[in-house]
Amino acid sequence: MNIFRFCGDMCHLFSILVLLLKIYATKSCSGISLKTQELYVVVFLARYLNLFTAFISVYNTVMKVVFIGSSVAIVYCMRWHHAVKRSYDRDLDTFKYQFLVLACFLLALVLHEKFTFLEICWAFSIYLEAVAILPQLVLLQRSGNVDNLTGQYVFFLGAYRALYILNWIYRYLTQPHFNGWISCFSGLIQTALYADFFYYYFISWKSNSKLQLPA
């Protein structure tokens, strides 16, 4: 494992910890898209179908369990925890994410590395992760003001994908037979989706003001 992948994993893990902190400490999920969180559950379940059949390392297995468990816990709290679900911005979180799931599944059937069940599920999870943040970004744009913890959550998610692009470049340069075109293509699209958010995040950080996104 190279330093870029490790730092990317840590940013991903930290983004989840920030989101869990927001939910459990404030008993609020205001500004968080339930639809994005549900998409992440689908992403991790589809990607880690081999959790109990293919052992790579303790680190790899632990991270898989953490990502699946945390995403399910977040969705559970937002849907069924009485104190948390009352703060859910249902009227703003109206993105039609079913179309994303269908489009990514069809794309996985066409563009994949090997026509097997596990490989198609893996490709589907990569494509879906690339666009899973869209409902969250749309919700933030509609609400305008972004609280500190929500802003940090989205920022670290974007940083995770940007670091993974460096990871793929590093592996391409150091591993002669590395073939990660699906991951690279999807990662570039996903990182591009964060570009506007990153711009306003750094503007607010530089001016030490509250993060605001244009409607």
Side-chain angles (χ1 to χ4, degrees), residues 8 36 57 61 68 71 78 83 88 92 96 98 114 117 121 123 129 154 160 171 181-182 191 195 198 204 215:
T36 283
S57 67
T61 300
I68 292 174
S71 60
M78 294 184 68
Y88 171 48
L92 298 179
K96 302 297 183 183
Q98 296 88 344
K114 188 183 299 182
F117 177 73
C121 286
E129 186 180 19
V154 177
Y160 142 65
R171 294 181 64 185
W181 65 271
I182 290 178
T191 305
F198 281 151
S204 68

Side-chain angles (χ1 to χ4, degrees), residues 94-110:
T94 58
F95 193 97
K96 302 297 183 183
Y97 68 152
Q98 296 88 344
F99 295 107
L100 295 180
V101 176
L102 178 60
C104 290
F105 178 71
L106 294 176
L107 185 60
L109 291 176
V110 177

Side-chain angles (χ1 to χ4, degrees), residues 49-199:
L49 286 173
N50 64 348
L51 177 61
F52 300 107
T53 60
F55 178 79
I56 299 175
S57 67
V58 173
Y59 173 86
N60 183 270
T61 300
V62 169
M63 294 300 280
K64 288 178 179 179
V65 172
V66 168
F67 291 144
I68 292 174
S70 60
S71 60
V72 170
I74 291 167
V75 169
Y76 172 81
C77 286
M78 294 184 68
R79 275 195 172 275
W80 292 289
H81 191 288
H82 181 67
V84 175
K85 71 177 184 179
R86 289 184 302 176
S87 60
Y88 171 48
D89 301 318
R90 189 178 304 275
D91 293 336
L92 298 179
D93 194 22
T94 58
F95 193 97
K96 302 297 183 183
Y97 68 152
Q98 296 88 344
F99 295 107
L100 295 180
V101 176
L102 178 60
C104 290
F105 178 71
L106 294 176
L107 185 60
L109 291 176
V110 177
L111 298 177
H112 49 262
E113 294 184 358
K114 188 183 299 182
F115 192 71
T116 65
F117 177 73
L118 287 180
E119 287 295 327
I120 289 175
C121 286
W122 178 84
F124 165 68
S125 76
I126 296 295
Y127 297 138
L128 187 59
E129 186 180 19
V131 295
I133 196 63
L134 278 174
Q136 178 65 65
L137 294 177
V138 170
L139 187 154
L140 292 181
Q141 189 173 43
R142 288 173 177 174
S143 62
N145 292 327
V146 183
D147 67 77
N148 186 47
L149 288 176
T150 302
Q152 290 184 15
Y153 162 68
V154 177
F155 172 79
F156 280 106
L157 264 184
Y160 142 65
R161 298 313 297 173
L163 285 165
Y164 255 64
I165 291 178
L166 297 178
N167 160 61
W168 295 320
I169 293 174
Y170 177 84
R171 294 181 64 185
Y172 176 78
L173 295 175
T174 58
Q175 301 177 14
H177 302 292
F178 173 68
N179 180 19
W181 65 271
I182 290 178
S183 297
C184 292
F185 170 73
S186 301
L188 287 171
I189 292 177
Q190 185 175 2
T191 305
L193 292 177
Y194 285 92
D196 190 59
F197 175 86
F198 281 151
Y199 172 77

